[in-house]
């Protein structure tokens, strides 16, 4: 559960940095049209994502009491998209300038 919370925080930080950096030539945009407005307001973005994480943790705890092991699976499934998003954001933060230079050649 703590891992999910850290992933959410790292996702928000990396998304904010990537949009602020602009992926070199302003190529970074939010892929989710519903989040497009929210991601440009970091505190709102963080608050919304943390509320989702809290809701997921509450549901996982309730389900764990009723069905042993299900709460753990819910947390694992919730972590997967955040791990992917953070990995992609980190990749773009580290290599976007180099990739744009290669693409322009």
């Amino acid at each position: 559960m703590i891992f999910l919370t850290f992933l959410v925080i790292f996702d928000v930080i990396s998304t904010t940095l990537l949009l602020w950096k602009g992926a070199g030539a302003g190529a970074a945009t939010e892929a989710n049209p519903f989040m497009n407005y929210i991601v440009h307001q970091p505190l709102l973005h963080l608050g919304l994502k943390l509320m989702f994480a809290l809701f997921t943790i509450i549901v996982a705890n309730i389900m764990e009491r009723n069905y042993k092991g299900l709460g753990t699976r819910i947390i694992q499934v919730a972590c997967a998209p955040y791990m992917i998003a953070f990995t992609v954001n980190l990749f773009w933060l580290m290599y976007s300038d180099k990739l744009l230079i290669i693409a322009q050649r």
Side-chain angles (χ1 to χ4, degrees):
M1 290 183 240
I2 293 172
F3 184 63
L4 175 61
T5 306
F6 282 125
L7 278 175
V8 167
I9 292 169
F10 291 144
D11 174 49
V12 170
I13 291 170
S14 65
T15 300
T16 302
L17 287 174
L18 188 58
L19 291 173
W20 175 70
K21 180 181 177 186
T29 58
E30 173 60 35
N32 182 347
F34 298 108
M35 292 293 291
N36 197 25
Y37 171 75
I38 294 169
V39 295
H40 296 288
Q41 300 180 27
L43 292 178
L44 178 61
H45 188 197
L46 180 62
L48 185 65
K49 294 277 182 129
L50 286 175
M51 284 177 31
F52 169 76
L54 179 64
F55 174 76
T56 303
I57 290 167
I58 290 170
V59 169
N61 279 325
I62 292 169
M63 297 309 284
E64 186 67 29
R65 283 189 219 127
N66 297 328
Y67 305 99
K68 191 75 176 158
L70 183 58
T72 303
R73 295 286 182 224
I74 290 171
I75 296 295
Q76 290 171 341
V77 169
C79 285
Y82 286 108
M83 287 189 293
I84 293 169
F86 178 65
T87 303
V88 169
N89 287 349
L90 190 59
F91 173 81
W92 277 107
L93 281 168
M94 291 176 11
Y95 298 111
S96 63
D97 294 335
K98 294 174 185 135
L99 291 173
L100 290 172
I101 289 170
I102 292 170
Q104 291 174 355
R105 287 183 184 179

